[in-house]
Amino acid sequence: MTLKEKMAAGLIYTDLDSPELAAEHRHCLEVLHKFNHSEPGEIKLRAKLLKEILGGCPEDFWIEPPLRCSYGYNTFIGNHFYANYNLTIIDDVKVEIGEHVLIAPNVVITTSGHPVHPDLRLNGGQFSKPIKIGNHVWLGANVVILPGIEIGDNSVIGAGSIVTKNIPPNVVAVGNPCKVLRQITDKDRAQT
């Protein structure tokens, strides 16, 4: 089984000695360096740079620098996507983000973690699980989404939440750990 197959299967792996992954990571970092240091008016350049590294990138999206990714090519974003400053995506495996998604500042989306038992971490052991964020989702400031999470369409994740379990569609969820607070209803049309 190859290293990438282990990663995709959610098995424990160590990528510290992989020249292939190191080169892919370095390429992503080099492109992100150009993106993160671009001038505010270089909108076309920014879009071109992100389309070079992201796995799926629509015509209509906006990401405020700085942005951090592991590889880029495992991240797929939908149309009408907006991310504010300091988005970090640890995309060792697939990250799918739907359409009309809003991401506030300082959000972390991480597909990778480390085992709890110290013997499994001795040589940098880690695991990765894909993340899926539905359409029309809003992630508040300082949200952290952990490996293997799915967030349903239309849901709102409150600022400062740490998402450790799947979140269903059409809810407001908050906290550490993040829990469903309530359903989104027609009453919300009148509120800000």
Side-chain angles (χ1 to χ4, degrees):
M1 182 177 278
T2 69
L3 181 57
K4 285 188 177 182
E5 288 170 339
K6 282 184 175 181
M7 293 167 76
L11 301 174
I12 295 174
Y13 65 91
T14 301
D15 62 356
L16 298 176
D17 297 323
S18 171
E20 175 189 8
L21 288 178
E24 291 172 355
H25 180 63
R26 186 172 41 256
H27 172 71
C28 181
L29 294 179
E30 289 168 354
V31 173
L32 287 175
H33 180 81
K34 293 174 190 172
F35 172 80
N36 291 331
H37 291 87
S38 62
E39 295 293 326
E42 294 180 306
I43 296 167
K44 288 181 181 177
L45 172 64
R46 287 180 175 182
K48 178 181 176 249
L49 290 168
L50 291 181
K51 287 178 182 186
E52 180 181 328
I53 60 167
L54 295 181
C57 193
E59 291 301 316
D60 182 16
F61 74 98
W62 186 266
I63 299 176
E64 289 286 349
L67 167 67
R68 299 279 185 246
C69 293
S70 295
Y71 300 100
Y73 58 73
N74 286 322
T75 297
F76 299 81
I77 60 174
N79 279 312
H80 314 294
F81 173 82
Y82 175 81
N84 214 318
Y85 305 101
N86 295 320
L87 173 60
T88 298
I89 303 175
I90 306 301
D91 63 340
D92 292 359
V93 295
K94 193 172 191 177
V95 174
E96 291 180 80
I97 302 173
E99 297 186 350
H100 297 276
V101 171
L102 300 173
I103 297 182
N106 302 314
V107 168
V108 175
I109 300 169
T110 180
T111 63
S112 296
H114 297 278
V116 173
H117 198 284
D119 289 350
L120 299 174
R121 295 191 312 262
L122 280 178
N123 297 315
Q126 64 186 64
F127 62 89
S128 297
K129 296 180 182 177
I131 291 173
K132 185 173 183 181
I133 299 170
N135 298 317
H136 301 276
V137 169
W138 174 24
L139 304 177
N142 299 303
V143 164
V144 176
I145 300 174
L146 297 180
I149 296 299
E150 290 190 23
I151 298 176
D153 291 346
N154 307 316
S155 287
V156 175
I157 308 300
S161 296
I162 299 180
V163 185
T164 62
K165 293 188 170 140
N166 292 344
I167 302 296
N170 302 305
V171 298
V172 175
V174 298
N176 178 8
C178 188
K179 295 180 182 173
V180 173
L181 180 65
R182 65 178 178 85
Q183 292 286 315
I184 295 172
T185 67
D186 282 339
K187 288 182 183 178
D188 291 306
R189 291 181 188 279
Q191 297 178 356
T192 56

